[in-house]
Amino acid sequence: MNKMSVKSTFLHLLQSPSVIIGLITALTFQVLFSLIWLTGYDHLTDNVNRLAIAIVNEDQVVGKQAVQSIMGKLPTHMKEEASLDQAMTQLEERKVQMVVHIPGNFSKQLTDPTQKAVITYAVNESNPSMVKSVMQSVSSQITTSLNEHAVRTGMTQVLEQVHVPQSQASSLSESMSARVVAEMNNVHPISNFSWTMVPMMLLLASFVGCMQFTMEMNKAAKAIKQKCGQWTLLTARSLLNIVASLIITTVGTGMVALMGVHSDQGFGIMWLFQLAYVITFLFVSQLSFYIFSDAGAWVNIALLSIQLITSGALLPSFYQKISEFSPGTYAVTGIMNLVNGGPAISDSIHALLLILTVVILLTTVIVGGVQLLPRKTKEHGQLAS
């Protein structure tokens, strides 16, 4: 028996449907990721104005003047809050990204040469790295602005009000031009950088794994679809999704715990939450095959890219709207709350279960439509005869 030459083998492989599909899949990754990521992250810093900062001012002299001078001059959205507790609650819930606290004795500290005027910043570190980086930059700008506007331009008048001679007030105000200092009081501080990568890592590992699993299961289902009914096949695939989600969740949560990453809410809650988003990913990726048949694999590539980009921050309006319907958004938010600290994950779980319910209903409707179509065609043929 003659062996095939390198040329013959090459041409044979090149003409193989599996190789052609594999090449198209690789090209699809390049095209879709480029389109989605480059449009999603285009001029990202222009979206900084969507980040919110709460200012709590308890000083009605220099503090009030300083707040008026910086409001609207920074790239972020700034709002005043009357209560520090209320502002910190919003920070915990990620409704604001930083809290600025000007204490009631701010003016007094400025007029006392022996003291520094302290302004306190609180940042929630349980956020995407880009958000924390932007907030650190903004806090420096605020401190500089307070020094320039609240001290140099306002201190002469304040010192005169406390009966300091004008000549001394002018000299003293110049010497105070850098007396405002920042004090950081971060919420959920993260000492290990790898913990900040856990949400995105789990999202990527889970969705890619689910995507590959449903692709292989679709191949297996096609091989036996003539031997069983559509409802039987759907039921079997659904049961297999449940079994697979239990196994994937146990291994995924176990590996994270083994690597030293733990949740304050316990291993059980972490396991249940991962089960919620893994089973949602499985049914979402399966729906792609029910709608687009074999092309569902390429649709899932687009979904993967969308999951990754919409779970970030500072997105354009289009992707911001998509993120509300993306299970990856709620998966990342819940993981951040569990691993890095944050509010209860009930909202994330409810959103995931809602998405799962809609996906299951859509799949059921599609399968029902596939079965009703041949039946109606047959009945129409009988009536015609």
Side-chain angles (χ1 to χ4, degrees):
M1 181 178 178
N2 295 329
K3 293 184 177 180
M4 296 173 64
S5 65
V6 173
K7 179 179 179 181
S8 298
T9 303
F10 173 80
L11 292 175
H12 180 78
L13 291 174
L14 186 60
Q15 296 170 4
S16 169
S18 298
V19 173
I20 294 173
I21 292 174
L23 180 58
I24 293 175
T25 301
L27 294 175
T28 302
F29 266 101
Q30 298 295 320
V31 173
L32 292 179
F33 267 69
S34 296
L35 286 174
I36 295 173
W37 280 58
L38 292 181
T39 56
Y41 288 120
D42 186 39
H43 292 92
L44 192 67
T45 53
D46 293 346
N47 301 317
V48 170
N49 58 353
R50 290 187 182 156
L51 300 178
I53 296 176
I55 299 180
V56 180
N57 175 43
E58 298 174 350
D59 183 87
Q60 297 305 311
V61 186
V62 177
K64 185 176 181 179
Q65 297 172 359
V67 170
Q68 292 174 348
S69 69
I70 62 177
M71 291 287 282
K73 294 184 179 180
L74 294 172
T76 56
H77 172 66
M78 305 188 72
K79 60 179 183 177
E80 286 193 73
E81 291 290 342
S83 167
L84 181 60
D85 289 339
Q86 183 179 350
M88 293 301 291
T89 298
Q90 294 184 28
L91 182 67
E92 174 79 10
E93 296 175 351
R94 300 190 184 89
K95 294 179 180 178
V96 299
Q97 282 67 51
M98 183 166 69
V99 173
V100 182
H101 178 218
I102 301 176
N105 61 346
F106 187 75
S107 296
K108 182 179 180 181
Q109 289 176 330
L110 282 175
T111 60
D112 188 344
T114 64
Q115 295 187 40
K116 293 286 187 180
V118 180
I119 180 171
T120 304
Y121 300 96
V123 176
N124 188 350
E125 293 196 19
S126 182
N127 265 309
S129 299
M130 184 172 294
V131 173
K132 293 184 287 185
S133 177
V134 170
M135 289 302 104
Q136 289 172 353
S137 174
V138 171
S139 66
S140 298
Q141 295 179 52
I142 292 176
T143 302
T144 300
S145 181
L146 284 173
N147 273 309
E148 291 177 353
H149 297 285
V151 179
R152 287 187 177 179
T153 61
M155 278 308 298
T156 300
Q157 179 181 355
V158 173
L159 293 173
E160 288 175 351
Q161 290 177 357
V162 293
H163 308 296
V164 176
Q166 183 177 1
S167 58
Q168 296 182 23
S170 300
S171 175
L172 188 58
S173 64
E174 287 294 325
S175 69
M176 291 180 175
S177 60
R179 295 196 58 235
V180 178
V181 295
E183 181 180 282
M184 300 302 296
N185 183 25
N186 291 350
V187 177
H188 306 303
I190 301 173
S191 58
N192 191 334
F193 178 77
S194 66
W195 284 45
T196 64
M197 303 304 296
V198 171
M200 194 60 69
M201 179 272 293
L202 284 176
L203 171 65
L204 181 61
S206 298
F207 195 86
V208 171
C210 292
M211 184 176 71
Q212 290 296 114
F213 176 79
T214 52
M215 182 174 66
E216 296 302 323
M217 184 167 64
N218 189 64
K219 293 179 183 178
K222 286 180 63 178
I224 63 170
K225 69 177 183 178
Q226 301 300 329
K227 301 178 182 179
C228 57
Q230 288 286 349
W231 292 113
T232 300
L233 188 58
L234 174 61
T235 303
R237 292 179 68 162
S238 300
L239 290 173
L240 194 54
N241 279 342
I242 295 172
V243 172
S245 65
L246 292 170
I247 297 173
I248 295 170
T249 298
T250 301
V251 173
T253 310
M255 282 300 302
V256 169
L258 186 65
M259 298 303 295
V261 180
H262 303 286
S263 169
D264 291 338
Q265 300 185 39
F267 179 87
I269 299 298
M270 184 77 174
W271 185 90
L272 285 172
F273 183 72
Q274 184 163 2
L275 178 65
Y277 67 75
V278 166
I279 198 169
T280 302
F281 289 165
L282 283 170
F283 277 93
V284 166
S285 56
Q286 177 181 268
L287 179 61
S288 298
F289 287 103
Y290 272 104
I291 297 176
F292 301 102
S293 188
D294 291 340
W298 301 327
V299 175
N300 282 333
I301 294 173
L303 289 177
L304 169 63
S305 184
I306 290 172
Q307 301 301 309
L308 293 174
I309 194 172
T310 56
S311 57
L314 307 181
L315 298 173
S317 299
F318 173 73
Y319 289 102
Q320 196 76 31
K321 184 60 65 175
I322 291 179
S323 69
E324 298 176 7
F325 305 96
S326 169
T329 300
Y330 305 103
V332 168
T333 300
I335 298 168
M336 281 196 300
N337 291 344
L338 288 171
V339 175
N340 298 327
I345 59 172
S346 54
D347 288 345
S348 295
I349 291 179
H350 291 157
L352 287 169
L353 292 180
L354 178 60
I355 293 173
L356 176 61
T357 301
V358 172
V359 168
I360 291 175
L361 288 175
L362 286 174
T363 306
T364 304
V365 169
I366 291 171
V367 173
V370 169
Q371 280 212 324
L372 287 172
L373 185 60
R375 184 180 302 170
K376 287 183 177 181
T377 304
K378 184 178 179 181
E379 290 174 354
H380 179 73
Q382 290 174 348
L383 289 173
S385 61

